[in-house]
Amino acid sequence: MVCAPSLVDFALMAESLPSIAQAVQVAEVCRRALLALHRVPSQKLAGTDALGTPLTQQHRHAHYIPDCRGLDPLRMTHLVVYAPGGFSSSELQTLMSLSQLSRTAGPLAVVPQAVGRPDILASSSRLFGSYRRFASRTPFVLPRHRKRGDEPEDQLVRELRLRGLPIPGQIERTMGPLGLAESDTPPWSAFLRHRRYDELTTGYYGFRIEFAEAVSGPLLLGYGCHYGLGQFVPQTE
């Protein structure tokens, strides 16, 4: 049985590439552009049904994932559109026709680089592949209000369970992305943490987590995980 492609990898090109702190903004612009190009409604691309209600099908619809693969670990170089449920022929055709995203800082060119399943990016993107240790690259925004018995760590574990993933043996909070000099590490408050028309009323955190066995990425959790938030990247040290 041939599986439908579930991923398109785009390279980004501009005079000044955006910071990963603006991941939500770039992801939303990409979603709107694809919906306009597709013309007819697409639940897979929109993430909503015909009435505009968000889908709850175990996150099988599109994730718009800004990625950093250059020398600057916080500068976007790629954008991955990934739907675990696979794309239809019309959705794939629309994805391949995307060439530019409009933004206030100037146009952002997008060039398709690869089409297929997640394993095609295992050697080129830190978001893909199998690892035991991960750390937040963008803030984990709580899906629900924090309360006793439902602390940030509890909500993180619940998000993992909903995706059929194991519970980490270790969970540690972080103040910003890891792997940078302290002077270069932005706090989570420096990141855009909500979608365009949403009002954020829950908290946001970062974590370092370690599993007993390797887990396959991409690891995308919490509110806004379809728009660049809640990204976890591997820690190899």
Side-chain angles (χ1 to χ4, degrees):
M1 179 178 178
V2 178
C3 295
S6 62
L7 175 154
V8 178
D9 183 36
F10 296 94
L12 302 179
M13 299 182 183
E15 287 188 14
S16 178
L17 290 170
S19 164
I20 192 64
Q22 301 300 314
V24 176
Q25 184 181 70
V26 172
E28 284 207 284
V29 169
C30 181
R31 174 182 177 272
R32 291 197 298 269
L34 288 172
L35 291 177
L37 286 170
H38 196 258
R39 298 180 181 274
V40 297
S42 164
Q43 292 190 15
K44 191 72 61 64
L45 295 175
T48 59
D49 63 19
L51 299 177
T53 303
L55 300 177
T56 57
Q57 300 170 347
Q58 295 183 331
H59 300 280
R60 304 291 288 171
H61 54 286
H63 297 72
Y64 301 90
I65 316 169
D67 196 6
C68 307
R69 302 180 202 167
L71 296 177
D72 185 341
L74 297 179
R75 189 68 56 184
M76 298 182 206
T77 59
H78 291 73
L79 178 66
V80 182
V81 183
Y82 169 55
F87 292 112
S88 69
S89 59
S90 66
E91 290 162 347
L92 191 60
Q93 183 178 6
T94 296
L95 283 157
M96 298 304 292
S97 70
L98 184 66
S99 61
Q100 182 173 288
L101 302 179
S102 299
R103 57 188 184 122
T104 56
L108 187 63
V110 293
V111 181
Q113 299 287 293
V115 180
R117 307 292 293 183
D119 59 338
I120 67 173
L121 295 184
S123 62
S124 59
S125 171
R126 297 180 66 211
L127 289 170
F128 296 82
S130 297
Y131 305 90
R132 289 183 54 239
R133 300 179 182 88
F134 293 81
S136 297
R137 174 193 272 167
T138 59
F140 173 81
V141 179
L142 300 184
R144 300 175 306 284
H145 286 284
R146 178 181 179 179
K147 60 184 179 181
R148 183 176 297 178
D150 196 22
E151 296 292 342
E153 290 79 3
D154 299 313
Q155 296 197 30
L156 175 67
V157 167
R158 182 177 184 272
E159 287 285 299
L160 290 166
R161 282 176 168 166
L162 287 174
R163 290 160 178 77
L165 296 172
I167 299 173
Q170 297 182 28
I171 302 177
E172 175 187 352
R173 294 188 191 182
T174 61
M175 302 303 294
L178 298 179
L180 302 171
E182 186 174 349
S183 59
D184 297 330
T185 303
W188 298 126
S189 59
F191 286 71
L192 183 62
R193 301 180 303 278
H194 60 85
R195 295 183 59 196
R196 188 177 183 186
Y197 296 113
D198 286 354
E199 181 179 352
L200 181 64
T201 59
T202 61
Y204 53 92
Y205 299 84
F207 297 100
R208 179 195 284 117
I209 58 180
E210 182 174 340
F211 297 97
E213 298 181 356
V215 168
S216 296
L219 208 55
L220 311 164
L221 307 169
Y223 164 88
C225 66
H226 288 262
Y227 301 92
L229 292 174
Q231 286 190 27
F232 284 79
V233 292
Q235 299 293 290
T236 55
E237 295 182 0

